[in-house]
């Protein structure tokens, strides 16, 4: 930035002398920088000389300054501009201390500067429009003849853009004159105009000290030899290239720290002074955006829209008062017209320089959505999906959702492998039905699976009140229709896992009914008809029977797997309305993970199960295990499995990587991480590791494996340790179990390939869907339980029942869940989602309690005492097994 951006017009000659002198100094003194000192910029030294100049002429603004070379210290004699320019160069060459700049003395830039000057000791301040650009505001430093006090506000020009310093000066002016008209007018003009606001608080991209380079502070050049400055000339072009590259990468020219400081100063005033003006300006701005955005769809450069939204969402009060009720809804409605390209630019900006605002912006949007959910009277013909403010805020939150991922820890997209079935040799299955592509994700080149750790936890995006209000049957209908109606299933990040499970449930049920209808139609044509997926098994041979039947079905007609599952235990009278299936899955899982089968191995460190790479079982066995897991999801059954998170990432289409070892084998992970963090020269002697690793098979025999060809001859060094770790993790999590996992995945996809599973759920939510919650809160169960047959929550037997239940051990509580519901797992969303019913089953007797597990109904006789109740209940939950007629 040239000195002309800083000094009054009356000092033009001095400015030119200062610039010429500083340039001559840098040219004549053969100053060179070593590469090890960093990439230094020629303009940075010139900037430093300018700072000396303003310190000598204007001072730092600190009334207690003790620097003898600062005008604010009071010990310096006044210098003419020419004298100050010469002295500045002299001070630079001597490396004299520079003062820290006072907040109200920040370097003037963008041509918008305000200098207060009293007239004969008065506080009269007049705006001068002579010899300045139309978009600058300058307070005359001299006595302006003809400037009258009664005209100084009404005739003052309003800037066409704001800078941090100009806002400070307007505030100071208003406070000094106890009139805030200039501030109100300025806010109204700037914040109502796309053009004016987009130019405000701009970074100086021509100055490397404020754009691409991190160099330019006192500490950056302090102590450098003058011989080194010569190399700054050669770096000038590089700096310009850096700025150009930043522009191509959509880096916003908004100076976000300056915006935040400016808003902090503004909101230190009483908000009543300017709030109405700012709110009205934002509403007008939103209207302008709504009118202008549709005409911009074919335009390439829309950075001004990004700048506007970045500045607006930095307003600290946007989530409260009239801002929340009026301005923010208007901005959200306008923002839903953004093109995908602008959305991507906005996401990149929020993920970069503005990432610390993500939490505040998210909270504002969540408050807006929550407020609208509470205040809107939804009716039969007006659903939450029809409320424009809620839907537009959700669409804007989607941009923030991707920004949150970009601001987090991302892994390479190369680890994505969505078409695993295409890589399975001899696979006869049809291509996997992929969820529809998200245009914003495609534009950003990112996927939710790429994000290892988001900037904010994903749970921050859940809106529980909205999730409880959404009628998922209506939302699912919108999702499946081609009407273009809004569906939250396309924005699943805002819904809790429990609500998303309902969306999956509707999809699965509709597919079941469709298969059943097709079967009935076939019956009319004389073809064999089977409306259900029926499995008849013997309790003592459950694995053999189940896997044989499922294998036959998967080979003959895989579509039958999409039918509703009905299980019958041979020799038992229970009719499967859901409860029999629950026990079937539990028994199958217990047998599958039995060490005798050796299909899975238990990781001792994490107590998780993983594919046994040396298993003797055929691929068909692992395929059938995948079918069982898919059927459990499809039939809404929770399983007692304990897979590491990497399995759920793999079934979603992401290969395992080094970070996945953390919960797969924490001991190994910590050892490898210690290797990566070790930077001492004796690395080879400490670790003595080659690219050959060893592992044990099911019989305990040691097997050697070379991660690279002739790996036993290649030592791990500082240079190749990252390669070793990546290859090691790839072998353990991918290559060693490739055959087993591919077979498992093939069976899994036979059932869920057409469901919106991957659209709705992230890997950690898939785990919740399959395994249920780990929160055994029986207070939730008590509060949600209903009563029938004459019992109420005030009945003594019911009070005794809950007193007994709360006193049970966790293991017995799990047995109670198993007894009453057919599963000892907590459903996603907690025990309140069980909706258990306790019904009266006659007067006092010696009969044990019984249950209809299909309907979560516990039949409880009215026992005469609490002790008898506990005795009968404990016996029932310990010794019950099988299904009989009641």
């Amino acid at each position: 930035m040239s000195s002309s951006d800083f000094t009054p017009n009356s000092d033009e000659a001095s400015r030119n002398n200062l610039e010429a002198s500083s340039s001559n100094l840098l040219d004549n003194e053969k100053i060179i920088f070593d590469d090890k000192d960093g990439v230094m910029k020629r303009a940075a030294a010139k900037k430093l000389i300018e700072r000396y100049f303003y310190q000598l002429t204007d001072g730092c603004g600190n009334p207690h300054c003790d620097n003898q070379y600062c005008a604010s210290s009071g010990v310096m004699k006044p210098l003419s501009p020419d004298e100050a320019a010469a002295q500045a160069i002299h001070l630079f060459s001597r490396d004299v201390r520079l003062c820290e700049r006072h907040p109200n003395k920040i370097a003037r830039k963008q041509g918008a500067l305000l200098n207060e000057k009293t007239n004969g000791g008065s506080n009269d301040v007049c705006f001068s429009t002579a010899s300045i650009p139309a978009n600058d505001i300058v307070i005359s430093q001299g006595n302006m003849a003809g400037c009258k006090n009664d005209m100084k506000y009404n005739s003052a020009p309003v800037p066409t853009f704001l800078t941090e310093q100009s806002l400070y000066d307007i505030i100071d002016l208003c406070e000094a004159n106890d009139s805030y008209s200039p501030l109100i007018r300025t806010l109204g003009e700037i914040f109502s105009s796309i053009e004016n606001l987009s130019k405000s608080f701009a970074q100086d991209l021509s100055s490397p000290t404020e754009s691409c380079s991190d160099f330019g502070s006192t500490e950056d050049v302090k102590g450098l030899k003058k011989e080194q400055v010569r190399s700054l000339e050669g770096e000038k072009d590089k700096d310009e290239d850096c700025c150009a590259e930043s522009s191509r990468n959509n880096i916003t020219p908004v100076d976000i720290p300056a915006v935040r400081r400016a808003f902090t100063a503004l909101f230190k005033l009483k908000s009543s002074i300017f709030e109405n003006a700012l709110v009205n300006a934002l509403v007008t701005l939103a209207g302008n955006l709504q009118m202008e955005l549709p005409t911009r769809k074919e335009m390439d450069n829309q950075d001004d829209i990004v700048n506007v939204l970045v500045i607006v969402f930095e307003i600290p009060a946007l989530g409260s008062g009239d801002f929340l009720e009026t301005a923010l809804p208007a901005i959200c409605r306008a923002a839903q017209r953004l093109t995908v390209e602008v959305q991507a630019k906005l996401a990149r900006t929020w993920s970069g320089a503005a990432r610390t605002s993500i939490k505040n912006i998210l909270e504002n949007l969540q408050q807006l959505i929550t407020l609208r959910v509470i205040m809107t009277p939804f009716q039969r013909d007006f659903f939450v999906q029809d409320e424009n403010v809620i839907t537009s805020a959700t669409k804007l939150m989607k941009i923030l959702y991707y920004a949150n991922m970009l601001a987090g820890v991302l892994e390479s997209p190369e680890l994505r492998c969505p078409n695993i079935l295409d890589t399975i040799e001899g696979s006869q299955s049809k291509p996997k039905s992929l969820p529809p592509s998200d245009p914003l994700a495609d534009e950003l080149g990112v996927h939710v699976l790429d994000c290892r750790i988001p900037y904010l936890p994903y749970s921050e995006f859940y809106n529980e009140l909205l999730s409880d209000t959404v009628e998922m049957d209506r939302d699912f209908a919108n999702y499946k229709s081609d009407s273009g109606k809004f569906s939250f299933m396309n924005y699943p990040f805002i819904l809790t896992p429990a609500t998303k499970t309902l969306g999956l449930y509707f999809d699965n049920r509709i597919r079941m009914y469709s298969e059943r209808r097709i079967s009935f139609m076939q019956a009319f044509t004389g073809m064999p008809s089977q409306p259900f997926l029926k499995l008849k098994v013997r309790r003592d041979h459950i694995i053999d029977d189940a896997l044989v039947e499922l294998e036959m079905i998967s080979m003959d007609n895989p579509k039958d797997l999409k039918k509703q599952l009905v299980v019958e235990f041979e020799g038992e009278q229970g009719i499967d309305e859901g409860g029999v299936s629950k026990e079937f899955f539990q028994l199958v899982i217990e047998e599958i993970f039995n060490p005798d089968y050796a299909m899975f191995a238990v990781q001792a460190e994490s107590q998780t199960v993983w594919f046994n790479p040396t298993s003797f079982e055929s691929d068909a066995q692992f395929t059938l295990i995948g079918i069982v897991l898919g059927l459990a999801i499809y039939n809404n059954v929770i399983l007692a499995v304990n897979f590491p998170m990497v399995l759920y990432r793999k079934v979603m289409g992401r290969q395992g990587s080094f970070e996945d070892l953390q919960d797969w084998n924490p001991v190994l992970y910590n050892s490898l991480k210690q290797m990566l963090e070790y930077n001492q020269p004796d690395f080879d002697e400490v670790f003595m590791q080659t690219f050959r690793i060893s592992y044990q098979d099911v019989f305990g025999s040691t097997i050697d494996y070379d991660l690279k060809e002739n790996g036993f001859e290649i030592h791990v060094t500082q240079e190749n340790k990252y390669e070793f770790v990546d290859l090691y993790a790839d072998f353990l999590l991918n290559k060693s179990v490739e055959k087993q996992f591919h077979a498992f995945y093939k069976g899994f996809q036979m059932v869920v390939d057409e469901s919106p599973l991957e659209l709705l759920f992230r890997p950690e939510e898939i785990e919740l869907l399959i395994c249920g919650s780990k929160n055994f809160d029986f207070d939730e169960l008590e509060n949600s339980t209903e009563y029938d047959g004459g019992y109420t929550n005030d009945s003594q037997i019911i009070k005794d029942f809950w007193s007994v239940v709360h006193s049970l051990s966790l293991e017995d509580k799990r047995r109670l869940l198993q007894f009453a519901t057919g599963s000892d797992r907590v459903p996603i969303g907690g025990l309140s989602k069980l909706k258990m019913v306790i019904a009266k089953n006659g007067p006092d007797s010696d009969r044990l309690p019984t249950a209809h597990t299909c309907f979560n109904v516990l039949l409880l006789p009215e026992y005469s005492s609490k002790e008898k109740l506990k005795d009968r209940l404990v016996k029932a939950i310990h010794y019950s097994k099988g299904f009989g007629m009641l």
Side-chain angles (χ1 to χ4, degrees):
M1 184 179 295
S2 67
S3 58
S4 61
D5 292 316
F6 292 96
T7 51
N9 291 318
S10 59
D11 298 329
E12 184 71 30
S14 298
R15 291 202 312 269
N16 294 337
N17 290 338
L18 172 64
E19 185 167 321
S21 299
S22 60
S23 296
N24 290 336
L25 169 69
L26 299 178
D27 289 337
N28 295 331
E29 299 290 342
K30 308 300 182 183
I31 302 176
I32 301 173
F33 288 96
D34 294 331
D35 289 340
K36 66 181 181 179
D37 291 327
V39 179
M40 301 302 180
K41 312 293 182 184
R42 173 187 175 86
K46 294 172 66 176
K47 177 73 70 176
L48 202 56
I49 294 173
E50 290 172 354
R51 287 190 59 190
Y52 280 112
F53 176 82
Y54 295 117
Q55 181 175 298
L56 292 168
T57 55
D58 294 348
C60 67
N62 181 4
H64 305 292
C65 180
D66 59 355
N67 189 345
Q68 61 176 324
Y69 297 107
C70 178
S72 297
S73 66
V75 300
M76 277 186 57
K77 68 175 183 177
L79 300 175
S80 68
D82 289 337
E83 291 173 335
Q87 181 75 345
I89 296 173
H90 176 67
L91 296 178
F92 168 76
S93 64
R94 291 175 52 195
D95 193 24
V96 173
R97 176 173 69 92
L98 269 170
C99 296
E100 292 294 329
R101 289 174 289 186
H102 191 271
N104 286 332
K105 285 292 182 180
I106 294 175
R108 312 175 191 113
K109 47 192 173 182
Q110 303 298 332
L113 55 111
L114 286 166
N115 295 323
E116 277 191 63
K117 186 74 176 177
T118 59
N119 182 15
S122 71
N123 290 330
D124 294 347
V125 183
C126 300
F127 284 76
S128 171
T129 59
S131 304
I132 61 173
N135 61 350
D136 290 357
I137 299 180
V138 180
I139 303 300
S140 173
Q141 292 189 351
N143 182 15
M144 297 289 295
C147 182
K148 299 180 180 180
N149 293 342
D150 58 354
M151 297 178 60
K152 63 185 176 182
Y153 297 122
N154 295 331
S155 62
V158 176
T160 57
F161 62 85
L162 271 179
T163 66
E164 179 184 4
Q165 185 61 44
S166 65
L167 183 60
Y168 289 158
D169 291 337
I170 292 173
I171 292 173
D172 291 344
L173 170 66
C174 293
E175 289 180 335
N177 292 277
D178 196 23
S179 175
Y180 291 89
S181 296
L183 176 63
I184 293 172
R185 289 179 56 208
T186 300
L187 293 178
E189 290 290 335
I190 298 297
F191 282 86
S192 63
S193 167
I194 297 174
E195 181 181 3
N196 293 351
L197 188 57
S198 67
K199 294 178 181 178
S200 298
F201 306 105
Q203 290 183 9
D204 181 13
L205 295 181
S206 65
S207 171
T209 61
E210 297 187 15
S211 56
C212 302
S213 174
D214 291 330
F215 170 73
S217 65
T218 307
E219 292 75 12
D220 292 327
V221 243
K222 191 172 183 179
L224 295 175
K225 298 178 181 179
K226 285 189 282 186
E227 305 85 50
Q228 296 174 319
V229 179
R230 183 63 181 171
S231 66
L232 294 174
E233 182 69 36
E235 297 297 336
K236 184 175 181 180
D237 293 337
K238 292 182 181 180
D239 189 56
E240 293 173 353
D241 292 340
C242 173
C243 294
E245 182 65 23
S246 296
S247 178
R248 287 193 295 270
N249 289 336
N250 303 317
I251 297 177
T252 176
V254 173
D255 187 347
I256 293 175
V259 173
R260 292 171 180 169
R261 293 192 297 266
F263 279 140
T264 298
L266 178 64
F267 279 85
K268 283 182 179 179
L269 304 174
K270 291 182 179 179
S271 60
S272 59
I273 294 173
F274 61 87
E275 181 173 317
N276 287 340
L278 186 54
V279 169
N280 291 334
L282 292 175
V283 173
T284 302
L285 175 71
N288 293 334
L289 286 170
Q290 283 188 323
M291 289 187 294
E292 189 166 334
L293 283 175
T295 66
R296 286 173 167 247
K297 290 184 178 179
E298 303 301 326
M299 298 176 62
D300 293 331
N301 186 6
Q302 301 193 30
D303 289 342
D304 55 343
I305 302 299
V306 177
N307 297 346
V308 165
L309 293 176
V310 167
I311 294 172
V312 166
F313 279 95
E314 289 294 333
I315 297 176
L318 202 59
S320 61
D322 289 341
F323 290 98
L324 179 63
E325 295 183 8
T326 307
L328 184 55
I331 294 296
C332 289
R333 283 193 293 263
Q336 66 182 335
R337 297 175 177 264
L338 296 175
T339 63
V340 174
E341 292 77 15
V342 176
Q343 293 179 39
K345 289 182 179 182
L346 187 58
R348 292 190 185 102
T349 301
W350 278 339
S351 68
R355 69 174 58 192
T356 54
S357 295
I358 291 178
K359 183 175 180 62
N360 186 54
I361 298 171
L362 178 59
E363 289 176 351
N364 291 340
L365 294 176
Q366 292 283 32
Q367 288 179 25
L368 175 61
I369 293 172
T370 301
L371 177 66
R372 288 293 172 143
V373 170
I374 293 174
M375 301 299 293
T376 305
F378 298 112
Q379 301 171 357
R380 182 176 180 179
D381 296 326
F382 185 74
F383 300 91
V384 66
Q385 295 90 342
D386 302 320
E387 217 290 335
N388 185 257
V389 171
I390 293 176
T391 58
S392 61
T394 302
K395 292 176 181 178
L396 189 58
M397 193 185 294
K398 176 183 175 181
I399 303 175
L400 201 67
Y401 179 73
Y402 280 105
N404 187 57
M405 287 191 288
L406 292 174
V409 179
L410 295 176
E411 290 185 316
S412 171
E414 295 178 358
L415 292 174
R416 276 185 255 153
C417 47
N419 299 318
I420 298 177
L421 291 177
D422 296 342
T423 66
I424 301 177
E425 184 177 355
S427 176
Q428 300 297 321
S429 60
K430 64 179 181 179
K432 177 184 173 184
S433 176
L434 297 175
S437 177
D438 186 341
L440 180 55
D442 294 340
E443 181 70 22
L444 292 169
V446 71
H447 189 279
V448 65
L449 293 175
D450 297 338
C451 185
R452 171 65 61 174
I453 305 175
Y455 182 72
L456 296 178
Y458 287 122
S459 58
E460 295 286 325
F461 287 81
Y462 297 150
N463 189 300
E464 295 186 4
L465 183 61
L466 173 68
S467 299
D468 293 339
T469 306
V470 171
E471 297 186 24
M472 285 306 294
D473 55 347
R474 171 66 58 175
D475 198 75
F476 179 78
N478 289 353
Y479 166 72
K480 297 296 287 186
S481 71
D482 297 326
S483 62
K485 290 185 177 180
F486 183 91
S487 170
F488 286 102
M489 287 183 65
N490 291 316
Y491 302 84
F493 54 83
I494 198 171
L495 300 177
T496 60
T499 301
K500 287 187 283 193
T501 302
L502 289 176
L504 185 65
Y505 173 81
F506 286 125
D507 184 83
N508 294 340
R509 286 294 169 179
I510 288 175
R511 190 165 285 110
M512 289 178 186
Y513 295 150
S514 176
E515 293 295 331
R516 190 181 306 174
R517 184 174 61 253
I518 292 173
S519 294
F520 288 142
M521 292 176 64
Q522 290 175 344
F524 286 111
T525 63
M527 297 176 61
S529 174
Q530 177 53 266
F532 299 99
L533 172 61
K534 280 192 173 182
L535 297 179
K536 187 173 183 179
V537 296
R538 295 168 293 175
R539 187 176 289 272
D540 295 335
H541 299 82
I542 190 168
I543 293 294
D544 294 336
D545 293 349
L547 297 189
V548 166
E549 289 199 45
L550 288 174
E551 184 176 15
M552 293 176 61
I553 294 170
S554 64
M555 293 176 62
D556 295 339
N557 191 5
K559 291 288 289 183
D560 284 352
L561 296 174
K562 304 295 179 65
K563 296 177 180 178
Q564 182 176 353
L565 178 65
V566 175
V567 178
E568 178 184 345
F569 283 104
E570 190 174 285
E572 299 184 20
Q573 299 171 318
I575 299 175
D576 191 5
E577 292 288 346
V580 181
S581 297
K582 291 178 185 178
E583 184 171 9
F584 162 76
F585 280 112
Q586 182 173 349
L587 294 175
V588 168
I589 291 299
E590 288 177 357
E591 291 294 325
I592 285 174
F593 295 114
N594 189 321
D596 294 340
Y597 280 91
M599 296 178 66
F600 294 88
V602 177
Q603 302 292 322
E605 296 80 6
S606 60
Q607 289 302 302
T608 57
V609 293
W610 188 244
F611 302 96
N612 182 1
T614 59
S615 173
F616 295 112
E617 299 296 335
S618 66
D619 290 355
Q621 297 291 86
F622 285 97
T623 298
L624 295 172
I625 301 305
I627 291 175
V628 169
L629 198 68
L631 285 175
I633 294 178
Y634 193 63
N635 290 272
N636 199 31
V637 176
I638 298 173
L639 300 179
V641 297
N642 195 21
F643 288 117
M645 183 57 63
V646 63
L647 176 80
Y648 304 106
R649 291 173 63 84
K650 285 172 72 69
V651 298
M652 295 283 281
R654 183 83 179 183
Q655 291 186 19
S657 63
F658 167 65
E659 291 298 330
D660 289 308
L661 293 176
Q662 187 168 9
D663 67 340
W664 186 83
N665 189 326
V667 174
L668 176 61
Y669 173 81
N670 290 329
S671 299
L672 294 176
K673 189 174 183 181
Q674 183 181 17
M675 173 187 290
L676 295 179
E677 294 174 348
Y678 193 83
N679 295 315
Q680 300 303 316
D682 59 347
F683 182 93
D684 295 353
E685 293 77 13
V686 171
F687 291 97
M688 294 185 296
Q689 177 67 50
T690 68
F691 274 74
R692 169 172 287 182
I693 61 171
S694 302
Y695 64 98
Q696 290 186 336
D697 63 11
V698 67
F699 300 108
S701 302
T702 300
I703 302 175
D704 295 329
Y705 178 81
D706 285 351
L707 298 176
K708 297 176 68 174
E709 187 176 355
N710 298 324
F712 67 96
E713 298 177 350
I714 305 174
H715 288 272
V716 180
T717 64
Q718 289 283 12
E719 291 72 26
N720 62 19
K721 62 184 180 182
Y722 286 96
E723 180 187 15
F724 169 78
V725 167
D726 289 339
L727 290 175
Y728 197 180
D730 182 51
F731 171 75
L732 292 175
L733 301 177
N734 303 315
K735 290 183 178 179
S736 67
V737 295
E738 185 175 39
K739 179 181 176 182
Q740 293 86 344
F741 174 75
H742 279 183
F744 169 86
Y745 183 81
K746 177 182 174 182
F748 182 75
Q749 286 296 325
M750 283 183 183
V751 185
V752 303
D753 62 329
E754 295 178 333
S755 78
L757 186 69
E758 295 184 21
L759 170 70
L760 295 176
F761 298 94
R762 297 186 305 274
E764 62 272 18
E765 294 174 326
I766 294 286
E767 181 185 30
L768 272 177
L769 182 66
I770 294 175
C771 304
S773 172
K774 298 179 181 179
N775 182 21
F776 286 84
D777 188 346
F778 273 72
D779 289 327
E780 285 187 6
L781 182 61
E782 180 180 358
N783 294 332
S784 64
T785 296
E786 299 175 358
Y787 305 97
D788 195 12
Y791 286 153
T792 68
N793 55 0
D794 292 324
S795 301
Q796 186 60 45
I797 184 70
I798 297 301
K799 294 179 180 180
D800 292 343
F801 172 82
W802 288 114
S803 176
V804 169
V805 168
H806 289 309
S807 67
L808 296 176
S809 65
L810 178 59
E811 188 60 34
D812 279 347
K813 288 179 179 178
R814 297 177 72 115
R815 290 192 177 101
L816 174 63
L817 289 179
Q818 175 67 43
F819 176 76
T821 69
S823 172
D824 65 348
R825 313 295 288 184
V826 179
I828 188 170
L831 286 173
S832 62
K833 304 297 181 181
L834 270 180
K835 304 299 181 186
M836 191 172 75
V837 177
I838 299 179
K840 186 175 182 180
N841 192 24
D844 178 35
S845 70
D846 292 333
R847 295 178 61 189
L848 297 177
T850 53
H852 293 304
T853 56
C854 303
F855 309 104
N856 298 341
V857 176
L858 177 64
L859 300 173
L860 191 67
E862 192 171 11
Y863 296 113
S864 58
S865 66
K866 180 178 178 180
E867 292 73 18
K868 187 175 183 179
L869 166 66
K870 183 175 182 178
D871 176 74
R872 298 298 186 272
L873 183 63
V874 170
K875 287 180 178 178
I877 64 178
H878 276 81
Y879 303 114
S880 64
K881 201 170 190 180
F883 295 85
M885 298 296 291
L886 297 176

